[in-house]
Amino acid sequence: AFSQVKREHQKLRKAQRKQQQGAWEQDLATWIQRRQQRCAQHQVRKQENKAWHLRNHTLKTGDDADPVKRDWLAVLVITDNCSRRCLGLPLFRSGAGVTSQEVVNALRTCLPPELQFMISDQGTHFKTQLMKQLAQEKEFVHVLVYRHRPQSNGIAERFVQTFKRWLRNHSWNSPEKMEMLIALFLSEYNQRPHQ
């Protein structure tokens, strides 16, 4: 926008530019001030980003000076593509070390009996012999979405965003508290209207 205003000002004749000199200088000062604000904002965001990355690094490596021990939890998201309702959010206390047996056991209890198709990502838990056996047992077709294309399973991805946004306003310090929060979220989420 500034470049366009500058070009328009330069197209004016010398006499017209002299007449509009005061307005031009005022516009120029406004643009300079906006540029300085943008640069300052960029520097603040750069520092925040650096602190965020440093914090994540310390959490991953365990170099954190925070004496609180953190346990990782995993949540399996099971949503209905037609109604968009959440069928279950089983919590795994084993966190990142969750096994395919645990996932299959959770699916066995949460999946509806009339299920015909199950869509999942290509996580190692979904590409096992146990998952094939579950599909045969429950008589559904298991569809794996294309790798690195989360938009191909957009309903589940959108649900995850909604769940994460909801969790930002809550805190928990134990798996039991997290299970209570999940139950609260499920009741709120499934009661609201869906597109």
Side-chain angles (χ1 to χ4, degrees):
F2 172 71
S3 298
Q4 185 178 357
V5 170
K6 186 177 176 183
R7 280 194 298 272
E8 304 248 335
H9 181 72
Q10 290 173 345
K11 286 181 185 176
L12 297 174
R13 293 186 177 167
K14 193 172 187 178
Q16 289 174 322
R17 271 189 276 177
K18 278 191 176 182
Q19 286 177 345
Q20 296 180 3
Q21 186 66 28
W24 166 249
E25 287 176 357
Q26 196 174 22
D27 284 346
L28 186 61
T30 302
W31 285 108
I32 289 171
Q33 183 183 10
R34 285 184 184 171
R35 175 78 176 154
Q36 289 171 344
Q37 286 173 347
R38 178 71 180 118
C39 288
Q41 185 183 37
H42 180 68
Q43 289 300 321
V44 168
R45 287 185 178 166
K46 219 173 174 180
Q47 291 300 319
E48 289 171 349
N49 193 29
K50 190 175 181 180
W52 182 83
H53 280 290
L54 182 64
R55 178 76 178 140
N56 276 351
H57 177 72
T58 56
L59 279 174
K60 285 180 183 175
T61 58
D63 298 338
D64 197 1
D66 189 359
V68 177
K69 184 182 181 316
R70 288 181 170 78
D71 293 323
W72 293 95
L73 302 173
V75 178
L76 178 64
V77 173
I78 306 169
T79 58
D80 186 330
N81 259 9
C82 297
S83 68
R84 312 244 173 142
R85 292 175 52 95
C86 181
L87 302 176
L89 285 173
L91 180 72
F92 302 107
R93 295 171 189 236
S94 50
V98 66
T99 65
S100 57
Q101 182 66 54
E102 290 175 301
V103 171
V104 168
N105 290 342
L107 287 172
R108 188 169 270 124
T109 60
C110 293
L111 293 179
E114 66 275 4
L115 180 73
Q116 294 179 356
F117 297 94
M118 186 181 88
I119 303 170
S120 72
D121 61 22
Q122 291 203 20
T124 56
H125 308 96
F126 299 111
K127 294 166 62 175
T128 63
Q129 191 63 35
L130 290 169
M131 187 60 72
K132 288 179 186 175
Q133 289 171 358
L134 178 67
Q136 288 174 350
E137 177 187 316
K138 295 273 190 176
E139 297 178 349
F140 63 82
V141 177
H142 183 203
V143 180
L144 295 169
V145 296
Y146 192 69
R147 291 181 66 212
H148 308 298
R149 299 286 186 277
Q151 63 271 26
S152 60
N153 195 8
I155 292 171
E157 295 296 330
R158 183 66 185 100
F159 175 85
V160 169
Q161 285 179 357
T162 302
F163 184 48
K164 284 181 177 179
R165 192 177 325 113
W166 187 86
L167 281 176
R168 281 186 200 141
N169 300 325
H170 299 83
S171 62
W172 62 93
N173 54 9
S174 69
E176 293 78 19
K177 175 71 173 164
M178 182 62 170
E179 286 173 345
M180 288 173 45
L181 288 174
I182 287 173
L184 179 63
F185 172 77
L186 276 176
S187 65
E188 286 180 22
Y189 181 81
N190 286 333
Q191 294 300 322
R192 71 183 203 176
H194 300 282
Q195 293 180 347

